[in-house]
Amino acid sequence: MPNYKVQYYEKIPLDLKTIEVVEETAAKAKEIAMDRLDNQSGVGHYTIHKVVEIRS
């Protein structure tokens, strides 16, 4: 399965962060990343910036 890098901003737009997810599609990777962010303590409001496949 491909690896995807899901980039997101927390409260400050200049604070770009990344989560790496292994899933079959970019849409599924985004969904999994959002679930992780929703369940992670200390992460409030966030905005997904983009989902990029990591080429190996």
Side-chain angles (χ1 to χ4, degrees), residues 17-30:
K17 298 184 179 183
T18 302
I19 292 180
E20 289 191 18
V21 180
V22 178
E23 275 302 327
E24 294 180 9
T25 65
K28 185 69 174 170
K30 179 180 177 181

Side-chain angles (χ1 to χ4, degrees), residues 1-54:
M1 273 194 270
N3 287 344
Y4 290 95
K5 179 170 58 173
V6 180
Q7 296 179 324
Y8 67 98
Y9 295 108
E10 281 192 57
K11 300 169 189 168
I12 305 167
L14 298 176
D15 191 18
L16 185 64
K17 298 184 179 183
T18 302
I19 292 180
E20 289 191 18
V21 180
V22 178
E23 275 302 327
E24 294 180 9
T25 65
K28 185 69 174 170
K30 179 180 177 181
E31 183 179 315
I32 295 299
M34 290 172 60
D35 286 345
R36 286 186 191 171
L37 290 169
D38 289 342
N39 293 321
Q40 194 173 32
S41 65
V43 176
H45 177 74
Y46 61 87
T47 302
I48 299 295
H49 175 62
K50 64 181 172 180
V51 179
V52 180
E53 184 175 350
I54 300 171

